[in-house]
Amino acid sequence: MPARVLEFDWPDRVVIGTVGLPGARTFYLQVRAGTRIVSIALEKLQSALLAEKVDEVLDQLITVEGNRFSVPTSTPVELVDNDQLESVQEEFRAGAIGIGWDPTTAQILLEVLPIAGDDDASLEEGTAAESEKLLVRMPVGTARAFTLRTREVVDAGRPLCTLCGHPMDPDGHICVLPET
C-alpha cells in the first residue's frame, strides 16, 4: 500500500494545543489549510522539544550573513495565535519528528511519523505504521509564532509546589520532601 502523506504547503495555521484539564491534557499538533484540518497527538515533552529545536534552527539562520531569509528574532505580532484548537479528530500519535529547512522557499519543514505499531488496522493488513506521515512547510514568521505558542501551552500546566517542586493537582497535593 502506498504511503499516505498529509502534506501542507504554506498552511493557514500551525499550532500546538491541548484538550483536557492540566494534569490530564492531550497535546495536539494541528495544521489547517482552508477547510482541511489535521490533528496529530503528541506528548508534552515532544511538544516542548519541537518548539526548542525549531527555535534553534531559526536562531541559526539569523546568523547567516545578511539574514537573507528575513528570519524574525521574535514573533511578529500579526501572527500571534491564541485561539483554541479547531475540531480535533486525531489522525495518529506522533512517534519520530524531523525538522528541516528549505532555503529555496525559506520554510521550516516538519515531518511527523506515527508511533510504530500504533495503527492496529495497518498491523492486521501487514503494513507498517510508517506508511503514513504528516509533512508541513511553514514560513519563518509562522514558525516563530508556533514556537511562542507552544512554549506558552506547555507552561500552562499544573502549578509547581514551592516546597517540593512537584506539580499540584486541583484536588490537593501531598508534598514528598527529599530525605536529608
Side-chain angles (χ1 to χ4, degrees), residues 41 43 46 92-96 113-119 129-130:
E43 295 296 326
Q46 286 176 306
F92 59 82
R93 293 193 74 65
L113 300 173
I115 294 174
D118 193 40
D119 182 358
E130 288 80 14

Side-chain angles (χ1 to χ4, degrees), residues 39-70:
S39 302
I40 307 298
L42 296 151
E43 295 296 326
K44 180 179 181 178
L45 182 57
Q46 286 176 306
S47 301
L49 287 172
L50 181 57
E52 179 183 323
K53 295 303 179 185
V54 168
D55 260 344
E56 284 178 14
V57 170
L58 294 170
D59 290 345
Q60 185 178 18
L61 290 169
I62 288 174
T63 66
V64 172
E65 189 175 325
N67 188 11
R68 66 177 196 241
F69 304 112
S70 300

Side-chain angles (χ1 to χ4, degrees), residues 78-99:
E78 66 274 10
L79 296 177
V80 172
D81 182 346
N82 293 319
D83 293 338
Q84 296 292 320
L85 291 176
E86 298 175 55
S87 177
V88 175
Q89 292 185 346
E90 182 179 314
E91 295 289 333
F92 59 82
R93 293 193 74 65
I97 301 174
I99 302 169

Side-chain angles (χ1 to χ4, degrees), residues 4 6-8 11-15 28-40 84-92 134 136:
R4 182 174 85 125
L6 306 166
E7 192 167 358
F8 289 84
D12 299 324
R13 186 176 198 220
V14 182
V15 296
Y28 289 97
L29 166 60
Q30 190 170 79
V31 187
R32 177 177 49 80
T35 59
R36 183 173 169 230
I37 300 172
V38 170
S39 302
I40 307 298
Q84 296 292 320
L85 291 176
E86 298 175 55
S87 177
V88 175
Q89 292 185 346
E90 182 179 314
E91 295 289 333
F92 59 82
L134 172 68
V136 179

Side-chain angles (χ1 to χ4, degrees), residues 131-147:
S131 66
E132 183 173 42
K133 71 178 175 180
L134 172 68
L135 182 59
V136 179
R137 292 177 180 87
M138 63 178 144
V140 292
T142 301
R144 276 289 187 216
F146 171 83
T147 63

Side-chain angles (χ1 to χ4, degrees), residues 94-177:
I97 301 174
I99 302 169
W101 168 249
D102 183 350
T104 62
T105 61
Q107 290 180 305
I108 294 289
L109 306 174
L110 298 180
E111 182 179 54
V112 184
L113 300 173
I115 294 174
D118 193 40
D119 182 358
D120 293 334
S122 69
L123 292 177
E124 290 170 11
E125 295 170 12
T127 60
E130 288 80 14
S131 66
E132 183 173 42
K133 71 178 175 180
L134 172 68
L135 182 59
V136 179
R137 292 177 180 87
M138 63 178 144
V140 292
T142 301
R144 276 289 187 216
F146 171 83
T147 63
L148 173 68
R149 177 191 167 111
T150 300
R151 290 176 195 278
E152 290 171 351
V153 167
V154 167
D155 291 344
R158 296 175 290 172
L160 299 179
C161 175
T162 56
L163 296 175
C164 69
H166 288 89
M168 297 188 303
D169 290 322
D171 298 336
H173 173 73
I174 299 174
C175 286
V176 180
L177 298 175

